[in-house]
Amino acid sequence: MKTVTLHVNGQAHSAAAEGRCSLADHLREGLGLTGTHLGCEHGVCGACTVQLDGAPVRSCITIATACEGRAVHTIEGFDDDPVMGRLRAAFTAEHALQCGYCTPGMLITARDIVLRLPCADEARVRLELAGNLCRCTGYRGIVRAILRVLAERAPQPVPAAVAG
Ligand code: FES
Ligand code: FES
């Protein structure tokens, strides 16, 4: 056992972790943050996606003790985030979830797409989502939701001056 200190959702947390404990298990079992879901536990499905130092990672194949001193954001940490707020609303409007199992990881990946690729088209969104599997929706609603938020955030054309 080793004590690992992480900055999780803006707060420092110190807790003991086994040497081979995954970040996902540490968050769920050590810190009670069960919004991070586990599917394959092999780095394939993306259900466990969290943000580590600002970038999405698969927490099932990330060793907790290797994250000493780093900043982790789980889905619970985005309650006041305006981009995540828009994505949540768009996921609801576009029927982008059914069972919801993939949704926390999907939302964290979606937020990364929206912030990193403001001009992404449908093909690019689908490419970026390739590491997040959903067994329910067929992806169409998820893609529509992300494109909706990208469109909402796109600079609006300046209206032509009205002749006086
Ligand atoms: S549970 Fe981590 S990628 Fe599937
Ligand atoms: S909504 Fe069920 S797996 Fe995606």
Side-chain angles (χ1 to χ4, degrees), residues 41-153:
E41 300 191 54
H42 282 83
V44 176
C45 74
C48 65
T49 304
V50 299
Q51 205 181 65
L52 182 63
D53 289 342
V57 299
R58 288 156 199 281
S59 59
C60 71
I61 53 170
T62 302
I63 297 295
T65 54
C67 299
E68 173 66 32
R70 299 177 72 182
V72 180
H73 272 84
T74 67
I75 194 65
E76 292 92 340
F78 289 100
D79 281 356
D80 299 324
D81 180 82
V83 175
M84 193 62 93
R86 283 187 173 196
L87 281 164
R88 287 184 206 268
F91 267 53
T92 300
E94 298 289 356
H95 308 290
L97 66 151
Q98 290 179 29
C99 79
Y101 201 83
C102 69
T103 309
M106 201 65 86
L107 282 168
I108 288 177
T109 297
R111 182 178 178 278
D112 177 67
I113 295 169
V114 166
L115 292 177
R116 188 167 47 84
L117 299 165
C119 300
D121 61 7
E122 178 176 345
R124 185 64 190 264
V125 168
R126 286 183 179 275
L127 181 67
E128 294 286 329
L129 281 179
N132 287 75
L133 304 185
C134 176
R135 300 302 298 270
C136 301
T137 64
Y139 301 98
R140 292 176 63 178
I142 296 170
V143 172
R144 279 199 310 265
I146 295 171
L147 290 172
R148 176 191 279 240
V149 175
L150 285 168
E152 287 172 2
R153 290 170 52 84

